[in-house]
Amino acid sequence: MNADATAAPTAAAAAAATAAWRGGLDPHRIAEVIVTTGAGGGRRGSGYRVGETAVLTAFHVVAGAAAVQVRFDADRPGQWAATAELAWSDPGTDVAVVTFTAPPGGAPVPPARFGRIGDDRHAVVDVHAAGFPLWKRRRGADGRQFRELHQADGTVAALSNLRTGTLEITVPAAAADPDPAVSPWSGMSGAAVWAGPFLVGVVAEHHRGEGLGRLTAVRIDHTLQRVADGPRGELAALLAVPDDGALPDAGAEPDAAVPPAASRVIGLPVAHGLELFKDRVEARDLIGRHLADPAVRMVTVTGRRGIGKSAVAAKVMELLERGEWPGHARAPLPAGLINLSTRTSGVSLERLYFDCARALGPAHEARLLGVWAADRPVPDKIDELFTAMGDRLFVILVDNLEDRLLDDGRLDDEELDTFFDCLFRARGTPRLLATSQLPLRLPPELRRFAAEVELSEGLPPAESVALLRELDHDGALGVARLSDEELLHAAVRVHGLPRALELLVGAMADDTLLLPTLEDVLRDFTLRGDVVAELAQERHQRLGADGRCALSVLAVLRTPAPREAVEWIVAGIDPSVDVGAALSGLLRMRMLAVDRRTRTYVLHPMDADLAYGALPAEGPLGRRALERRAAEWYARIAPPRRDWRTLDDIQAYRRAFDHRVRAGDMDEAALVMGTIGQWMVWQGSVVAAISMHLTLEEHVNDDRARLAHLIGFGHARLTGGPLPHALELFTEAAEVAERIEDRRALQEAMFGLGDAHRQLGRLADATGPLARAGALARENGDAEAEAHAVLSLSLAHSTLGDGEAALAGADRLGELAAASGDELTGARSLNARFTALLTLGRWEETIVAGERAVRAYAAAGVQEATDYALNAQGVALLALGRPEEALPCLEEALRAASAMESPRTEGVCLYNIAWAQWTLGRYGQAAEAAERSATSLERAGAAEAEAARALGEAARARLVPAARQAADALDRAAQGAGGNVEMVRPAWLTAQAEDLRDQA
């Protein structure tokens, strides 16, 4: 073997070699393995120079090779290469060693340090590898392709893959998948896997079914154990290791103590006074062990109100922030800690998403906020969030989860339910730590991924006594001077519940007239099921009028509020109240918490619940009056429409809505939704908007309020489905608008009515309302609405087969765009044009107009019809006999439709994809796409669902094969598609049906 080095290693390589004696991956020893096969083909893989003349790689990389070349410092200064020969191999374990002649003058290369990852205990071990995967293929300035080196940092779960005796490596997912027929990790095979200074394995496989972030590696120690004695000795000699396979444990003695990176913390602790935290060591340790277990996705701390759930969870988060795992669990420290509570920041999908995005840092946050605003389906947004987290550990604390649970333990919010579903079903997700009075109800198959830590008893006696003493740390109340026996008596009376102990001392501090002792506070209470509630009620009763007023306002507000909010609300009820003094008094009694950074006040959640429950329904200080006043406060501070940029900008409106609903003012709540509902839909919160409208159903009586509700709900249903419900809503809205002579509302209702008819395929019913909507828009001076109506009318003409009338509509839109200079109207004119051209069968012009429409919508910052434009291009390409080009175009259209949460358009795209697969002879994939199309179209209430179902049946029949049965199904599909120009032509299906009958 002769070295054909283009440049031999010099001083830099010598320095690297010297450093390599200490162990660990040396970049100068990473080999690109270039193989020429006997048939003249080629392939590439990776390897590592484990000694002076040996490169370790995977057997399948060099199997059947006619020639092998190993290249070092590839495409960099100092690059050199050598011809290599196979010196040792074992197909069973997929390990090989090739040898070469080292170039003269090079620095000595010490043997690599080999080790193992023990598979006899639970552990998550950091590993890394470097190689040349397919997805890093690039093109140089000279036009030639090359593969860039990729360093893959990840982890190995020691107990995974025990059956096959391999290493499961979790790494950040491949950033691209250039060829669906080939793994993006192709070429990474043979890369050495390192755990600290030890080489522990060789990358061997990527199983697509496990996702793009999982690799399988061969264990070097298992290879040494499994091969016969003779080959084992040969391998051991090449690797310079003992031939008995006794390798050091890579996780036993780390080289050096590296201080862990500090966790990024988002949100305030959900409990205060953690320095006084007592006991709960067993619970803390159990929580820590569960959170460190990769198999557990959610840990719930359950127990009755006041037992200390929030405190123990907050203590766990504090320990993690300090770099300590409770219970001495062995796991990487979290990269981020997110604190959420239903009683402070609120718990919603938006809050979870935004706070997790913040925890990932500015770069990820900016991209993820863009994903949120893009109106993509909720599961896609969550997947993007989890993907951004990669393999780093994030712990999310959700405090008081019971506030979002129904009586049977199910979540009360569809978006939150989707988040939890994704949490349990996705690989590599964050850990959720929740506190709740009752556990989340989970399907049986998901329960094994959840753990519950129940707090059924209060603090032990010694800790209860110590806490009571610390609550009177200065001795002003006389509690600290009481005997242990007296304090123990008080603790037993309240069952050692931490919050009850705090309330006992607070009640003493409140009464500055009678100066009651601890025994006095306890004397009036007998043992009962809810002592904590009775204690809180006593404290509320002892408050003066000003204190009760401020307490009631804070109980109604529920979330942290500035002093100005309390003052403004109270001023409308009793201007004589000294709010400042009242808040100070509540603070002194520890019934109130303050955040000095934001200068906001909030009641302890337990006090807020009890105080709210004690409010009368009516009267100046009743629930209805206070809820109305709180709604008015939020309406007063809500920013105008021109200042809205993100969903956070309409938070005040949403809180006003909630207060109006709790006050029973459904008409006013409907008017709030009329202001923000459609904007929420545009920003990707379709499900939230629908949920809020459902709250109003059957409860809105005022005509104008009902109009706002009906129109907003109708638009939400137009996007989220089902379409028949949208039709009902707009029909009723039109009737109400006509009756009360509201021309602007009638304009919106007519447009929605016509568009719903159009999307449902009821074209004769669509043209009248759309024409009237356009006329009303001109009458009302609403140019944008007029353009939208003209667009929808043009689309209706296209579907009716009148392409020339549709083109006239496109021309009219072009005139409106030129007059107004509005980019969106210009994009809509192209929308009308490509659809009209599609109707007329002018295929090449359709493709050009579709491409222009995509660019125009992007320039306008709206994704409104990108899916339709791409779909039209795909249909035109199919008509031109170019299915290979049509398929990726249609798949991109499907992704765009999913982002808009439009099941009807999804169904249309899938139908066309099914036909593209059919024309390519892929009947199984065609059947799958057609069946998915039927499901989407049914969800939208679209008539074309039957056509999709029939196309699926035809594809299944072709697989049998049953030509006549397939032909009959194709005829049914053609008949069911009707005149929908967005779908492949029925005539194409009937022609195929005739060909099949001729072949039968």
Side-chain angles (χ1 to χ4, degrees):
M1 296 175 289
N2 297 314
D4 53 351
T6 58
T10 58
T18 302
W21 285 101
R22 296 191 296 269
L25 189 154
D26 177 352
H28 297 287
R29 294 168 66 170
I30 298 168
E32 184 177 18
V33 181
I34 304 169
V35 173
T36 303
T37 65
R43 60 174 172 265
R44 293 176 185 249
S46 303
Y48 190 81
R49 189 179 182 187
V50 294
E52 187 72 28
T53 61
V55 168
L56 177 67
T57 186
F59 170 72
H60 72 268
V61 171
V62 294
V68 177
Q69 185 184 65
V70 288
R71 189 163 61 139
F72 302 91
D73 290 319
D75 297 309
R76 292 189 296 162
Q79 170 184 291
W80 64 282
T83 300
E85 293 182 355
L86 184 62
W88 188 95
S89 65
D90 179 52
T93 59
D94 199 15
V95 172
V97 178
V98 296
T99 55
F100 61 94
T101 299
V109 177
R113 294 177 64 188
F114 286 86
R116 64 184 178 85
I117 292 177
D119 55 8
D120 56 351
R121 69 183 190 284
H122 165 265
V124 177
V125 181
D126 290 333
V127 297
H128 51 278
F132 302 89
L134 176 65
W135 68 270
K136 290 297 290 283
R137 185 170 59 191
R138 298 180 180 178
R139 191 176 296 278
D142 59 358
R144 292 191 306 168
Q145 288 188 344
F146 68 95
R147 293 197 190 185
E148 182 58 280
L149 180 67
H150 175 66
Q151 175 181 315
D153 294 329
T155 57
V156 164
L159 297 182
S160 292
N161 294 9
L162 286 181
R163 182 171 181 177
T164 55
T166 55
L167 298 173
E168 178 190 72
I169 309 174
T170 301
V171 296
D177 192 0
D179 186 350
V182 181
S183 167
W185 290 103
S186 174
M188 194 73 176
S189 291
V193 180
W194 296 83
F198 297 110
L199 197 163
V200 298
V202 174
V203 174
E205 294 178 285
H206 167 235
H207 300 281
R208 272 193 176 273
E210 296 177 358
L212 299 182
R214 295 287 191 281
L215 299 174
T216 299
V218 179
R219 293 174 179 258
I220 295 299
D221 58 320
H222 282 212
T223 300
L224 288 165
Q225 293 166 7
R226 291 181 179 182
V227 296
D229 291 344
R232 180 190 304 123
E234 295 170 7
L235 177 60
L238 287 166
L239 302 184
V241 297
D243 64 5
D244 61 359
L247 302 179
D249 189 335
E253 296 180 3
D255 265 10
V258 179
S263 301
R264 189 181 182 92
V265 180
I266 303 297
L268 296 174
V270 299
H272 54 274
L274 290 178
E275 66 278 1
L276 301 181
F277 186 84
K278 301 297 175 189
D279 194 56
R280 306 296 194 201
V281 174
E282 183 178 348
R284 285 177 2 223
D285 290 353
L286 185 56
I287 293 168
R289 288 194 293 273
H290 285 316
L291 288 175
D293 185 349
V296 175
R297 302 295 173 81
M298 178 180 182
V299 182
T300 306
V301 184
T302 60
R304 57 168 296 158
R305 179 183 296 159
I307 197 137
K309 302 182 298 295
S310 300
V312 72
K315 189 66 178 179
V316 168
M317 297 292 275
E318 181 194 56
L319 291 171
L320 290 173
E321 183 182 354
R322 285 175 9 205
E324 302 175 26
W325 266 106
H328 306 289
R330 296 187 62 179
L333 285 167
L337 301 169
I338 298 97
N339 295 294
L340 291 172
S341 173
T342 59
R343 313 295 176 84
T344 54
S345 59
V347 174
S348 64
L349 177 62
E350 293 169 26
R351 192 74 273 148
L352 280 163
Y353 189 96
F354 288 3
D355 284 2
C356 288
R358 283 178 59 202
L360 285 162
H364 283 295
E365 181 181 12
R367 187 184 70 79
L368 289 169
L369 292 181
V371 170
W372 179 270
D375 287 347
R376 295 173 62 174
V378 170
D380 281 7
K381 297 177 183 179
I382 298 169
D383 181 64
E384 287 281 355
L385 177 66
F386 290 169
T387 300
M389 292 178 175
D391 296 310
R392 294 175 293 167
L393 176 61
F394 289 80
V395 178
I396 305 171
L397 170 57
V398 177
D399 192 35
N400 301 118
L401 181 62
E402 69 269 9
D403 289 351
R404 303 311 310 264
L405 299 180
L406 303 173
D407 289 342
D408 62 357
R410 291 180 296 113
L411 284 160
D412 67 354
D413 179 85
E414 186 174 344
E415 288 190 332
L416 275 179
D417 190 60
T418 301
F419 179 89
F420 277 76
D421 186 70
C422 292
L423 178 82
F424 281 103
R425 297 185 189 278
R427 296 176 68 92
T429 59
R431 309 281 199 280
L432 192 69
L433 173 59
T435 69
S436 182
Q437 293 180 43
L438 69 161
L440 174 68
R441 182 178 177 182
L442 294 171
E445 68 271 18
L446 299 184
R447 290 177 185 166
R448 65 181 184 275
F449 303 119
E452 181 179 346
V453 177
E454 183 180 5
L455 302 183
S456 57
E457 297 179 355
L459 294 175
E463 282 72 19
S464 297
V465 169
L467 179 57
L468 283 170
R469 292 193 188 282
E470 290 176 2
L471 289 169
D472 184 29
H473 63 92
D474 60 359
L477 301 175
V479 173
R481 294 190 297 272
L482 294 176
S483 67
D484 285 352
E485 185 178 350
E486 289 172 300
L487 294 178
L488 180 60
H489 172 66
V492 170
R493 289 289 300 274
V494 296
H495 307 288
L497 300 180
R499 182 58 182 154
L501 296 170
E502 294 173 355
L503 291 171
L504 278 174
V505 177
M508 294 176 64
D510 171 51
D511 193 339
T512 58
L513 180 62
L514 297 177
L515 301 175
T517 64
L518 187 60
E519 183 61 30
D520 293 331
V521 175
L522 288 167
R523 185 177 296 121
D524 298 330
F525 298 92
T526 59
L527 291 173
R528 64 188 76 192
D530 197 354
V531 175
V532 176
E534 292 298 326
L535 283 169
Q537 292 283 10
E538 170 65 17
R539 294 183 66 202
H540 299 164
Q541 293 166 8
R542 290 172 177 266
L543 288 173
D546 287 7
R548 282 199 301 273
C549 184
L551 183 76
S552 298
V553 169
L554 288 166
V556 167
L557 288 172
R558 293 173 180 255
T559 57
R563 175 174 169 172
E564 294 78 12
V566 182
E567 289 177 333
W568 190 88
I569 294 171
V570 169
I573 299 168
D574 186 352
S576 67
V577 172
D578 186 342
V579 173
L583 292 174
S584 297
L586 291 170
L587 279 170
R588 284 195 304 269
M589 293 185 296
R590 303 194 180 192
M591 294 186 69
L592 192 63
V594 62
D595 182 345
R596 295 185 181 277
R597 182 179 57 85
T598 60
R599 297 183 180 180
T600 55
Y601 299 84
V602 66
L603 282 177
H604 187 282
M606 179 177 166
D607 290 327
D609 285 348
L610 296 170
Y612 191 83
L615 290 174
E618 304 294 343
L621 273 175
R623 286 193 296 272
R624 187 187 297 272
L626 289 172
E627 292 283 9
R628 286 174 174 168
R629 189 69 176 164
E632 291 165 3
W633 161 257
Y634 283 116
R636 182 172 179 268
I637 66 170
R641 171 66 181 84
R642 64 178 178 273
D643 295 336
W644 299 354
R645 297 293 182 272
T646 70
L647 285 164
D648 280 344
D649 295 327
I650 62 167
Q651 189 66 258
Y653 291 95
R654 296 180 71 168
R655 287 183 175 168
F657 173 88
D658 290 338
H659 287 295
R660 287 296 184 187
V661 168
R662 285 197 288 269
D665 296 340
M666 296 302 193
D667 291 343
E668 287 76 5
L671 293 172
V672 174
M673 278 305 295
T675 302
I676 65 172
Q678 199 163 354
W679 197 82
M680 289 177 64
V681 172
W682 292 342
Q683 293 298 309
S685 290
V686 178
V687 175
I690 289 174
S691 176
M692 294 167 77
H693 279 295
L694 287 172
T695 302
L696 302 173
E697 275 290 80
E698 309 300 330
H699 298 293
V700 181
N701 299 311
D702 176 77
D703 283 338
R704 295 197 182 279
R706 182 140 191 86
L707 255 183
H709 165 60
L710 291 168
I711 292 172
F713 201 3
H715 282 298
R717 287 301 193 194
L718 268 181
T719 300
L723 288 171
H725 190 203
L727 188 66
E728 294 173 12
L729 292 164
F730 284 123
T731 300
E732 185 180 350
E735 294 169 355
V736 176
E738 291 270 24
R739 188 176 71 251
I740 67 174
E741 300 181 350
D742 187 330
R743 308 291 284 176
R744 189 166 292 275
L746 182 60
Q747 163 199 315
E748 292 187 56
M750 281 295 168
F751 171 79
L753 187 61
D755 210 41
H757 276 304
R758 182 186 67 81
Q759 292 192 45
L760 283 166
R762 303 170 184 174
L763 305 175
D765 296 326
T767 53
L770 289 173
R772 190 175 182 194
L776 285 166
R778 285 193 298 275
E779 176 187 317
N780 294 328
D782 191 339
E784 193 277 335
E786 179 186 359
H788 207 176
V790 172
L791 167 64
S792 198
L793 185 59
S794 173
L795 298 176
H797 282 305
S798 288
T799 309
L800 284 168
D802 190 350
E804 295 300 333
L807 271 180
D811 292 338
R812 172 61 182 152
L813 281 169
E815 294 169 1
L816 291 172
S820 66
D822 181 55
E823 289 183 324
L824 180 57
T825 303
R828 286 172 171 170
S829 72
L830 291 167
N831 184 354
R833 184 166 300 281
F834 72 66
T835 308
L837 292 169
L838 188 67
T839 302
L840 294 168
R842 290 155 61 174
W843 310 121
E844 295 286 1
E845 293 176 78
T846 299
I847 294 170
V848 172
E851 292 171 345
R852 291 178 60 200
V854 170
R855 292 195 297 271
Y857 274 113
V862 176
Q863 299 300 311
E864 182 178 77
T866 300
D867 45 2
Y868 289 104
L870 292 164
N871 179 73
Q873 293 175 63
V875 173
L877 287 165
L878 285 172
L880 292 169
R882 293 150 61 183
E884 295 88 352
E885 297 174 60
L887 194 56
C889 197
L890 291 169
E891 288 171 341
E892 189 177 351
L894 175 61
R895 288 191 290 272
S898 298
M900 291 298 295
E901 296 186 4
S902 175
R904 178 184 177 276
T905 316
E906 285 179 338
V908 168
C909 294
L910 284 164
Y911 184 89
N912 295 332
I913 287 171
W915 185 249
Q917 298 285 18
W918 177 292
T919 60
L920 291 168
R922 304 169 184 165
Y923 301 114
Q925 291 165 277
E928 182 181 346
E931 289 157 2
R932 289 174 60 197
S933 170
T935 300
S936 293
L937 291 168
E938 282 175 355
R939 185 155 51 94
E944 295 90 349
E946 287 300 322
R949 190 174 294 105
L951 181 56
E953 293 173 7
R956 295 291 179 199
R958 286 292 281 145
L959 288 170
V960 173
R964 189 167 298 279
Q965 183 180 344
D968 293 342
L970 282 176
D971 284 339
R972 293 200 308 275
Q975 184 177 3
N980 190 338
V981 296
E982 298 161 353
M983 299 169 72
V984 295
R985 296 291 191 266
W988 302 350
L989 276 67
T990 54
Q992 179 70 52
E994 290 303 317
D995 289 345
L996 288 172
R997 289 191 180 94
D998 291 343
Q999 298 169 16

